[in-house]
Amino acid sequence: AAKQKNSRARGAMAARAVVMVVVLLLRECAGLGEVRTLDESNFDAVVNGAANVLVEFHEPECAHCERMEPEFYATAHALEFEEEVILGRVDTKESPKLKKRFGIEGHPVFKWFAKGSTEADKFYYVHYSGRMANTFLKMIGERMGREFETLPAIVSLVKKIKAEDFDSTVLVPAPVLVALYTPWNELKSVADALDETAKLFAGTVVVAKLGIERVFERDIADRYSCKHYPCYFLFDRDNRKHDLPGPYDDVQAYARFLNAKLGSDLDPAMLDERAMMGRLWDLDKLVAATPSHTLASVLEAAPVDDAAAAESKAYYVKLARRVDAEGPRFLPTESDRLAALLNKPGISPTKRREVAARKNIINAFIHALPAASSRHDEL
């Protein structure tokens, strides 16, 4: 029994790895929502008049480029099902001929290439307030005669606290992850990972950070033997402290630590909207916990909130019936078939959404059923 349990655990870990690979392949091969990396070898093949193309010319040393980068990628994500617009970036250090060809002097510089043309139009990015991505969407929409849905404001779930808030926020009968850090040298990658962790564990773990700015905050750091910042602690429901070893810029590390301490099984892949489109978390849990011979009936009985969820649920049930009849080994093959369909250039945006959602649901089954990953393990 112990051997069987260990075998299932190894299989589950392998299946999770397969899911992540499939997600990465979907991004790389299908090109959904991506920002194309353009250089002297592929620029003219992409900017060929077949679609509208917005190109950012940047360089690694450009601080403003770095600040804009996540919003430029968010814009591409928002436009992932729009076939007539492509976003690309050119590193002018790596492509000096393109820099000279388009007369790039400062950074970032944006150029718009309208569909049907390979001539560059000016694209003066002017941002006043709100998310930068929404400014991009507005300007692109104006050039295409379209109006794109705006993205929601970015709201951090991480609570910033001071010394006087520490006990009432952290020493409570609930799990609290707290960072003791110095605000003036906090790395963006570390802050982003903590934000993602707060999203992933929302409703389960309170995430807070205490900036060491005054003697009062240093006193709290001393109380918990935090001598070198940053320090990351989990206080459990009984206010016992557990040290997080790091790395602090990796949401996977936070997830492994918190899952181990809390007995949860939350996966950072859940934060990827594209990877989760079509999936229903409650049904994912049923797939993982229910024997295959009763899974279809259990899924059918599960309540859903709306018509879109009902459509996803129907596909869950269909897959469950097929798994019961054939076993799960067909799942990777079906995933590959849908990936090939997503790569077809003529697929409509509506069909692309439907296929991507079904592919994501298959990934949920692969994640939950270790035997489904055996074909990939053999490759």
Side-chain angles (χ1 to χ4, degrees):
K3 288 183 178 180
Q4 185 178 10
K5 183 177 180 182
N6 291 336
S7 176
R8 287 177 60 84
R10 287 194 299 270
M13 291 174 65
R16 289 185 177 91
V18 170
V19 172
M20 296 308 296
V21 169
V22 170
V23 170
L24 291 171
L25 287 174
L26 174 61
R27 290 179 180 174
E28 184 68 25
C29 298
L32 299 181
E34 69 175 353
V35 174
R36 309 280 183 91
T37 298
L38 303 179
D39 55 30
E40 288 154 6
S41 69
N42 67 356
F43 187 91
D44 290 324
V46 174
V47 184
N48 61 4
N52 299 289
V53 185
L54 175 61
V55 178
E56 177 194 3
F57 293 84
H58 71 102
E59 64 177 5
E61 296 80 9
C62 169
H64 193 48
C65 302
E66 184 179 354
R67 284 194 298 273
M68 297 178 76
E69 182 178 353
E71 290 295 282
F72 197 62
Y73 276 82
T75 305
H77 188 131
L79 297 173
E80 65 178 314
F81 295 114
E82 298 294 334
E83 296 180 326
E84 295 191 347
V85 60
I86 296 170
L87 271 62
R89 300 180 88 216
V90 173
D91 182 341
T92 56
K93 283 287 186 69
E94 298 292 330
S95 299
K97 291 181 181 178
L98 290 176
K99 179 179 180 179
K100 181 178 181 181
R101 173 178 163 186
F102 292 103
I104 307 300
E105 296 181 355
H107 295 85
V109 171
F110 296 90
K111 298 287 185 181
W112 176 258
F113 299 84
K115 183 177 181 180
S117 172
T118 56
E119 296 296 318
D121 289 334
K122 295 180 177 64
F123 190 99
Y124 292 124
Y125 178 84
V126 181
H127 178 70
Y128 295 102
S129 62
R131 290 193 62 170
M132 292 182 183
N134 285 330
T135 300
F136 281 120
L137 290 171
K138 182 175 183 295
M139 295 177 69
I140 292 170
E142 289 171 350
R143 283 159 176 77
M144 294 178 63
R146 300 275 302 280
E147 184 173 345
F148 296 114
E149 184 177 349
T150 58
L151 300 178
I154 298 175
V155 179
S156 175
L157 298 181
V158 178
K159 294 184 177 182
K160 291 186 178 181
I161 60 174
K162 295 185 178 297
E164 48 268 36
D165 310 315
F166 187 88
D167 288 358
S168 61
T169 302
V170 177
L171 302 181
V172 295
V176 180
L177 177 67
V178 62
L180 280 60
Y181 75 112
T182 47
W184 54 87
N185 66 356
E186 182 184 29
L187 296 176
K188 184 178 184 300
S189 59
V190 173
D192 289 346
L194 196 63
D195 279 337
E196 293 293 284
T197 301
K199 293 177 189 173
L200 182 61
F201 286 86
T204 304
V205 178
V206 174
V207 180
K209 54 186 182 181
L210 177 74
I212 310 299
E213 300 180 278
R214 305 172 300 169
V215 66
F216 308 108
E217 282 82 34
R218 286 197 295 273
D219 287 345
I220 289 176
D222 290 341
R223 186 201 306 177
Y224 294 104
S225 302
C226 176
K227 302 299 183 184
H228 304 286
Y229 313 125
C231 299
Y232 287 76
F233 304 130
L234 172 68
F235 289 84
D236 62 24
R237 292 175 176 84
D238 298 319
N239 299 153
R240 291 173 299 194
K241 179 176 72 72
H242 308 267
D243 295 8
L244 176 68
Y248 303 133
D249 61 351
D250 182 4
V251 66
Q252 293 277 2
Y254 290 101
R256 285 193 298 270
F257 175 79
L258 292 172
N259 283 334
K261 294 297 182 184
L262 303 175
S264 53
D265 187 27
L266 296 178
D267 188 339
M270 294 165 57
L271 296 171
D272 188 326
E273 292 178 9
R274 285 178 293 175
M276 295 304 294
M277 182 176 61
R279 286 175 59 172
L280 303 172
W281 179 235
D282 287 343
L283 299 195
D284 285 356
K285 290 190 287 186
L286 291 175
V287 172
T290 308
S292 60
H293 67 279
T294 60
L295 180 57
S297 59
V298 169
L299 290 172
E300 275 190 307
V304 292
D305 295 331
D306 52 39
E311 185 175 344
S312 290
K313 173 183 165 180
Y315 193 65
Y316 274 88
V317 173
K318 179 179 179 180
L319 286 176
R321 286 177 177 151
R322 191 172 171 189
V323 166
D324 185 32
E326 304 175 28
R329 288 175 64 87
F330 76 90
L331 291 166
T333 302
E334 182 65 8
S335 178
D336 292 344
R337 185 186 73 81
L338 295 180
L341 187 57
L342 285 168
N343 281 326
K344 289 188 175 180
I347 186 172
S348 70
T350 301
K351 187 65 174 178
R352 187 182 291 275
R353 287 187 184 91
E354 177 188 330
V355 172
R358 290 187 172 191
K359 192 173 188 301
N360 290 340
I361 294 170
I362 288 175
N363 289 345
F365 276 75
I366 293 174
H367 177 95
L369 305 174
S373 67
S374 59
R375 184 176 67 83
H376 283 273
D377 293 342
E378 293 164 3
L379 297 178

